[in-house]
Every structure is written in C-alpha cells, then in structure tokens.
C-alpha cells in the first residue's frame, strides 16, 4: 500500500457529486482526512431546503456516508472542524444538532465563523478519523 490512499465516492454511495478536483477522503497511516461536506442532497447536488437544522442534518448524513465508504463510523472521528456562516446566530443551534452525532466519547472540535460558504450554505464540516486497525486498507 502506498503512503497515501485516496477515496472518491459517487452519489450512489450517498454523497453529493464532486464540485471540484478533490478526494472525499485521504488516508495517511492510521488517519483519514475527510473533505468538508456541504448540506447538498446526494440525489440532486442541490442545497437542501430549510435553515441551519436541516442543513446540519444533511451535512451529518453526507459525512456519515463518506465515513462508511471508508469502513469507518462516527466514533472513529478524532477531530471535527465546523464552519458557520452566521456564527453568533447559529452556534448554539448547531450545538443542539451536533450533540446527537456521537454515541461514544466526543472528538476534539473547532468551530469557526466565516463570511461565506459554497452554494450559499450556512454550515460546512470536515473531520479527521482514526483507523482502528492500521494494517487494514480502507474501503474505497
């Protein structure tokens, strides 16, 4: 196995279509770096209707699909980065949605306010996960 392994998924895998030249995830050693996921519907590639709660749920579903495509789950997440377009307005609302994402110990997290996100999204999230058995290649 090479030092770096990339994973590119499709809407059939439950992730939105790519909008740029990137991999959905990259494994290096026992770490998997998951590209920031937007609140876009995998079937249409369009931003989901609704506000922050609906967008956060779609981001969660998209991240879960990428993790599953790598043979991983939420409890493998080590570090999460959240980007909020309306930080002051949405920080607590995002926290409410986020509380249900994990069943085990919480990962480290950074939340950043930004002036804009692609497709007019209110939230984007990326993460780093650990591979429980480093000797095994990830799916994808």
């Amino acid at each position: 196995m090479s030092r770096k392994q990339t994973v590119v998924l499709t809407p059939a895998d439950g992730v939105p279509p790519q909008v740029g030249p990137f991999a959905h995830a990259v494994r290096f050693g026992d770490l998997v770096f998951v590209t920031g996921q937007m609140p876009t519907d995998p079937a249409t590639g369009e931003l989901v209707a609704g506000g922050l709660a609906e967008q956060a749920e779609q981001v969660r579903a998209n991240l879960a699909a990428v993790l599953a495509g790598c043979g991983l789950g939420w409890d493998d997440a080590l570090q999460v980065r959240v980007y909020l377009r309306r930080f002051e307005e949405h920080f607590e609302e995002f926290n409410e949605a986020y509380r249900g994402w994990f069943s085990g110990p919480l990962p480290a997290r950074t939340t950043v306010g930004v002036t804009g996100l692609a497709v007019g999204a209110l939230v984007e999230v990326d993460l780093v996960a650990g591979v429980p058995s480093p000797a095994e290649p990830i799916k994808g």
Side-chain angles (χ1 to χ4, degrees):
M1 180 165 80
S2 71
R3 292 176 49 123
K4 180 172 93 171
Q5 180 184 3
T6 61
V7 176
V8 177
L9 303 167
T10 68
D13 299 308
V15 298
Q18 287 175 277
V19 295
F22 60 82
H24 288 95
V26 174
R27 178 179 175 175
F28 190 82
D30 61 353
L31 297 176
V32 174
F33 301 84
V34 176
T35 295
Q37 293 298 301
M38 305 298 293
T40 48
D41 182 329
T44 66
E46 299 292 323
L47 187 69
V48 296
L52 181 72
E54 293 81 8
Q55 288 193 17
E57 175 54 27
Q58 187 63 57
V59 167
R60 186 206 59 75
N62 293 347
L63 286 167
V66 175
L67 286 168
C70 296
L72 301 170
W74 278 111
D75 290 331
D76 297 311
L78 303 173
Q79 198 274 331
V80 175
R81 280 183 298 259
V82 179
Y83 305 91
L84 294 174
R85 195 171 57 153
R86 298 183 191 147
F87 186 87
E88 296 290 329
E89 181 181 342
H90 288 146
F91 183 72
E92 286 305 323
E93 186 178 356
F94 181 81
N95 283 338
E96 280 301 311
Y98 183 81
R99 282 183 178 91
W101 290 18
F102 303 93
S103 60
L106 294 172
R109 186 181 110 182
T110 300
T111 304
V112 179
V114 296
T115 59
L117 291 168
V119 302
L122 298 173
V123 60
E124 180 176 357
V125 179
D126 65 25
L127 62 83
V128 178
V131 178
S133 301
E136 297 177 21
I138 60 174
K139 296 179 182 179

